[in-house]
């Protein structure tokens, strides 16, 4: 019982005393794989999937790459970013313009 109490107390301390972590969420609303570059972080997201990222120095420049388009976009912590039809939407508002990749 003492071990269980110690585990519960440790979990509660982590939850209540951990620093506030702010992360932005990125969702791929396209029909193809989306390559994301943020700071020094890169990831591919399949269609319909999402990823979260915690910026070290917000706001951050997001760079999205599709097969034929490049989309720069700026977002802050706790923002929801959706990439759909070669456009970036931050919290539901259009942001950034796509460029054709050569």
């Amino acid at each position: 019982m003492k071990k269980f109490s110690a585990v519960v107390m440790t979990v509660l301390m982590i939850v209540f005393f951990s620093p506030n972590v702010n992360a932005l969420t990125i969702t791929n609303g396209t029909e193809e794989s989306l390559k994301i570059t943020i700071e020094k972080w890169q990831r591919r997201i399949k269609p319909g999937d999402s990823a979260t990222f915690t910026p070290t120095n917000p706001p951050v420049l997001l760079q999205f790459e599709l097969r034929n388009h490049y989309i720069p976009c700026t977002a802050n912590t706790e923002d929801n970013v959706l990439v759909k039809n070669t456009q970036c939407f931050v919290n539901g508002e259009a942001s950034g313009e796509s460029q054709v990749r050569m």
Side-chain angles (χ1 to χ4, degrees):
M1 189 66 178
K2 285 184 179 182
K3 289 182 182 180
F4 178 74
S5 296
V7 170
V8 170
M9 197 62 166
T10 303
V11 169
L12 288 174
M13 288 178 66
I14 290 171
V15 169
F16 288 113
F17 295 112
S18 64
N20 241 353
V21 178
N22 297 322
L24 61 96
T25 303
I26 303 160
T27 304
N28 181 1
T30 66
E31 295 180 1
E32 58 185 276
S33 178
L34 177 68
K35 180 182 176 184
I36 304 168
T37 305
I38 308 171
E39 294 175 348
K40 294 182 179 181
W41 182 77
Q42 285 190 349
R43 183 169 180 183
R44 283 209 175 268
I45 300 178
K46 295 178 183 179
D49 284 349
S50 295
T52 57
F53 178 76
T54 305
T56 57
N57 192 15
V60 293
L61 175 64
L62 309 167
Q63 299 175 17
F64 301 110
E65 292 180 45
L66 296 168
R67 185 178 328 131
N68 298 319
H69 291 87
Y70 169 79
I71 310 164
C73 187
T74 304
N76 211 335
T77 56
E78 297 184 12
D79 283 344
N80 290 312
V81 179
L82 170 66
V83 177
K84 186 173 185 178
N85 298 333
T86 68
Q87 189 159 5
C88 173
F89 295 91
V90 178
N91 297 326
E93 295 183 29
S95 175
E97 294 182 23
S98 66
Q99 302 168 3
V100 176
R101 287 181 57 177
M102 302 252 174

